[in-house]
RNA sequence: CGCGGGGUGGAGCAGCCCGGUAGCUCGCGAGGCUCAUAACCUCGAGGUCCUAGGUUCAAAUCCUAGCCCCGCAACCA
């Protein structure tokens, strides 16, 4: 076993202005959990962090339309995320949010540091101003007539009709969404900008280093941008009241722009985690190269986030100095549904909460991994979901477990005798499954969960073939010792497959672990906690791995170990699930 | 306009970097088994590898042009 490595797993920060759907899960939330569980099983120390992104105009727009406060909107969706992740088994060492004192402090410190080092400059921008409301209007607060297609329902930055983008100041007949005022002014406003042009050489140098393990969509995009384009400064402040304030006098009416503070969350969350554990400097083992140069940082995101994680955030880290840069950014493409993007406003959505109420967490984990959009957009359909669960997961793996344990239970009273000498077929199966710890492990490690799934399924099928060929239901009548050996070998194979499946199917692997007569937990414990700080209190989701017993190596199944009474691991889905769900959708 | 990803039997994907008789899962057809949640095992049918050129003895794989889908395109990360 290799020596322990520190691995930071950053997960895209969900925006606290709406529910998440299964596309988010398949793209950016499940893959890091599978990766992290595997890494922990091989003995690496994982720090998996994320949190709700609480700032930005969509939150304030929503709050205003509901007549509530941004904090209330955040609270509602943040709590929802925590509940869903708990159910789905996403093992965040810390899932927090960005409206904490700690995050404010860290963000302001980074802002000051960037400014001291000359990576931040001031400039002015033209922006629409609503004299009635006495405030500048972010694009989200403006509607008007599209300058290209003359559609009267154009949004501030983009037209839904012709999908062209433009500056809000180009809109014809702009009107304020706050007051309805149509006599808006264009005013100059001063903002701070991150000087990406100045950081470009550093960024370029970093991107040119060995990155063959990066996915082509991420690597080609960011390299091309940095090598062929001139990066311009990007504003990092806005005229808002909701957000992190600027640590300078004279800018009380402005806030840090949400994109800048959100990515800093990966760093601030590690610090919060260390503080909560009463080991305030422990974060350095993942973040500070002078403390630990071998640490690796992975960022799991959707493709829309590539520029921010493969360019902006690295640039910010380079400017800050003394922090680890990303080792890999395994961005996924999109999961669509029946050929269209998920859309809350059009009711074209499967929310995680609903999904988990009606179907097993591991069923989702399996199905969403099997169709993970690793290379291109992928389409979700309910028929496909049912087929995956019933005909692959349940028929191949669930049934293998059920037939073997059922046989052991009925013919050997739940206790498997000592095996006799192994023949070539016995040995071949054990060798093959044992080799899975290498082949499957390599795939998990390379962030290819879909291929890992296929490989484990193949091994599970081998076990089915083995069982079929050995015909223990016949040999039990003629040569009970031979049947006992077959069952022993099959159970040993299942015991290993349980571990190979565990990163994808943690809940049912745990069930199987217990059915096989083991005690203890393969993985650690998830729990929530309420944290108080100067900005109020917030709920966090946490994970304690200290009692986990699951190890990535072939276990030795003891003969005569008392099996527990077998029960099916998976619920078979009705054929009419697709119809039911479609009706639910239309209801 | 530009940049990146994708376009492979009915469905979903792998192969493409490092050219050499097209592979996997599901579905479909036939047979077998009966331990198992009618699950499991075996065999089979089914493909202009987006289009048009080019390079080569040979191209899904390399080159050129075009078409289609998705994301980014400085402010909804």
């Amino acid at each position: 076993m290799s020596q322990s490595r520190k691995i930071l797993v950053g997960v895209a920060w969900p925006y606290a202005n709406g529910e998440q759907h299964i596309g988010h899960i398949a793209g950016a939330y499940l893959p890091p959990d599978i990766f992290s569980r595997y890494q922990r099983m091989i003995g690496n120390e994982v720090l998996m962090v994320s949190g709700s992104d609480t700032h930005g105009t969509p939150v304030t727009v929503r709050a205003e339309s509901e007549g509530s406060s941004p904090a209330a909107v955040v609270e509602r969706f943040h709590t929802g995320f925590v509940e869903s992740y708990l159910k789905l088994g996403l093992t965040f060492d810390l899932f927090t949010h960005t409206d904490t004192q700690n995050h404010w402090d860290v963000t302001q410190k980074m802002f000051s540091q960037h400014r001291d080092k000359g990576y931040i400059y001031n400039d002015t921008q033209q922006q629409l101003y609503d004299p009635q409301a006495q405030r500048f209007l972010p694009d989200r607060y403006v509607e008007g007539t599209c300058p290209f297609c003359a559609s009267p329902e154009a949004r501030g930055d983009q037209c839904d009709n012709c999908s062209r983008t433009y500056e809000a100041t180009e809109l014809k007949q702009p009107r304020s969404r706050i007051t309805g005022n149509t006599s808006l002014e264009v005013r100059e406003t001063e903002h701070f900008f991150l000087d990406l042009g100045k950081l470009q050489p550093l960024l370029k140098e970093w991107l040119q280093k060995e990155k063959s393990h990066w996915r082509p969509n991420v690597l080609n995009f960011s390299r091309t941008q940095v090598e062929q384009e001139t990066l311009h400064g990007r504003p990092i402040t806005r005229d808002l009241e909701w957000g992190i304030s600027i640590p300078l006098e004279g800018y009380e009416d402005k806030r840090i722009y949400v994109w800048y503070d959100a990515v800093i969350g990966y760093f601030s969350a590690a610090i919060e985690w260390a503080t909560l554990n009463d080991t305030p400097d422990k974060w350095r083992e993942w973040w500070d190269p002078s403390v630990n140069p071998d640490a690796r940082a992975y960022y799991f995101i959707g493709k829309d986030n590539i520029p921010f994680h493969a360019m902006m955030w690295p640039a910010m880290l380079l400017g800050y100095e003394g922090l680890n840069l990303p080792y890999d950014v395994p961005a996924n493409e999109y999961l669509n549904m029946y050929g269209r993007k998920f859309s809350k406003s059009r009711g074209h959505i499967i929310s995680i909460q609903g999904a988990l109420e009606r179907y097993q967490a591991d069923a989702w984990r399996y199905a969403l991994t099997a169709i993970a959009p690793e290379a291109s957009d992928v389409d979700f359909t309910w028929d496909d979901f049912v087929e995956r669960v019933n005909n692959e997961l349940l028929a191949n793996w669930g049934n293998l477990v059920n037939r073997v344990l059922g046989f052991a239970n009925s013919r050997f009273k739940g206790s498997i005798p000592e095996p006799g000498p192994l023949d070539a077929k016995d040995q071949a199966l054990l060798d093959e499954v044992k080799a899975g710890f290498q082949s499957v492990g390599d795939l998990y490690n390379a962030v290819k969960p879909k291929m890992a799934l296929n490989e484990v399924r193949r091994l599970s099928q081998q076990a089915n073939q083995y069982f079929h060929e050995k015909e223990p239901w016949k040999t039990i009548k003629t040569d009970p010792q031979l049947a006992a050996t077959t069952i022993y070998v099959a159970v040993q194979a299942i015991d290993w497959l349980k571990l190979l499946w565990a990163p994808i199917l943690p809940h049912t692997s745990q069930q199987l672990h217990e059915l096989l007569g083991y005690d203890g937990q393969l993985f650690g414990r998830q729990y929530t906690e309420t944290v108080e700080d100067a900005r109020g209190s917030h709920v966090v989701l946490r994970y304690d791995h200290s009692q986990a017993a699951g190890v990535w190596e072939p276990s030795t199944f003891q003969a005569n170990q008392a099996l527990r009474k077998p029960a099916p691991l998976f619920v078979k889905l009705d054929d009419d699930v697709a119809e039911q769900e479609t009706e639910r959708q239309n209801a």
Side-chain angles (χ1 to χ4, degrees), chain A residues 132-167:
Chain A
Q132 251 179 51
Q134 294 193 320
R135 58 188 283 184
F136 283 97
L137 297 175
D139 295 343
R140 284 257 162 166
Y141 283 91
V142 188
E143 290 172 336
T145 300
C146 174
F148 296 100
C149 74
S151 161
E153 297 297 321
R155 291 186 284 145
D157 56 343
Q158 184 178 33
C159 174
D160 282 334
N161 186 48
C162 69
S163 76
R164 298 287 293 266
T165 60
Y166 38 77
E167 294 295 321

Side-chain angles (χ1 to χ4, degrees), chain A residues 405-415 417 472-474 476-477 483 487:
Chain A
L405 295 188
F407 193 92
N409 188 57
S410 62
R411 307 304 165 93
F412 293 103
K413 299 192 165 62
S415 174
W473 51 91
K474 282 186 183 167
I476 186 82
K477 294 169 187 161
I487 290 298

Side-chain angles (χ1 to χ4, degrees), chain A residues 260-271:
Chain A
Y260 181 81
D261 96 69
V263 286
I264 295 173
Y266 298 114
F267 178 40
S268 69
I271 295 175

Side-chain angles (χ1 to χ4, degrees), chain A residues 280-534:
Chain A
D281 280 325
K282 183 97 171 152
W283 60 269
R284 291 185 185 280
E285 294 174 26
W286 282 268
W287 272 106
D288 186 344
S290 70
V291 170
N292 178 9
D294 290 327
R296 284 182 178 173
Y298 290 76
Y299 294 87
F300 288 80
I301 57 170
K303 64 174 162 184
D304 52 329
N305 249 328
I306 291 172
F308 285 90
H309 291 76
M311 295 171 62
M312 309 296 178
W313 179 229
M316 287 164 66
L317 290 168
L318 287 163
Y320 188 84
E321 293 184 62
L323 295 178
N324 271 322
L325 271 79
Y327 172 77
D328 195 6
V329 183
N332 276 327
E333 302 288 307
Y334 279 173
L335 181 70
N336 297 320
M337 179 163 78
Y338 294 97
R340 284 163 39 203
K341 269 194 281 191
F342 285 103
S343 165
K344 171 86 177 175
S345 57
R346 299 193 182 101
H348 190 66
I349 188 171
I350 301 168
S351 77
I352 320 168
Q353 281 171 328
L356 289 170
E357 273 165 23
R358 297 194 289 284
Y359 308 101
Q360 279 181 288
D362 278 8
W364 281 112
R365 293 179 65 109
Y366 179 89
L368 295 181
T369 302
I371 62 170
E374 290 176 12
S376 62
D377 288 0
V378 164
D379 206 35
F380 175 91
T381 67
W382 282 106
D383 285 321
D384 185 70
F385 175 71
V386 173
E387 270 182 15
R388 300 266 179 201
V389 172
N390 284 352
N391 301 346
E392 294 183 15
L393 178 60
L394 190 146
N396 180 327
W397 169 234
N399 183 57
L400 172 68
V401 170
N402 202 40
R403 69 195 297 207
V404 172
L405 295 188
F407 193 92
N409 188 57
S410 62
R411 307 304 165 93
F412 293 103
K413 299 192 165 62
S415 174
I416 294 156
E418 292 288 343
L422 303 187
D423 68 15
K425 277 184 181 167
D426 298 325
Q427 201 56 54
L429 178 70
L430 293 180
D431 287 348
E432 186 131 26
V433 176
K434 190 181 275 188
F437 283 92
Q438 185 66 49
S439 62
V440 176
D442 287 346
L443 292 168
Y444 280 132
N445 194 50
V447 200
K448 293 178 177 171
K450 186 195 286 192
M451 289 177 82
L453 178 147
N454 285 331
E455 177 67 1
V456 188
R457 187 178 49 192
R458 188 183 70 77
L459 295 173
S460 169
Q461 185 177 24
Q462 299 277 318
N464 268 320
Q465 289 168 0
Y466 164 83
F467 206 71
H468 178 81
E469 287 171 15
K470 298 294 282 189
E471 301 182 305
W473 51 91
K474 282 186 183 167
T475 58
I476 186 82
K477 294 169 187 161
T478 57
D479 185 349
Q481 178 60 60
L482 184 58
T485 303
T486 299
I487 290 298
Y488 176 84
V489 169
V491 169
Q492 176 67 84
I494 285 173
D495 193 27
W496 292 344
L497 287 166
K498 161 197 84 185
L499 296 170
L500 300 181
W501 277 119
I504 299 173
L505 307 173
H507 306 97
T508 46
S509 281
Q510 176 63 33
Q511 281 178 41
L512 176 53
H513 188 60
E514 291 164 20
L515 293 181
L516 289 169
Y518 293 101
D519 293 315
Q521 302 290 312
L522 292 175
F523 294 103
R525 183 177 68 97
Q526 288 182 281
Y527 60 101
T528 58
E529 201 174 299
T530 302
V531 179
E532 306 282 341
D533 70 16

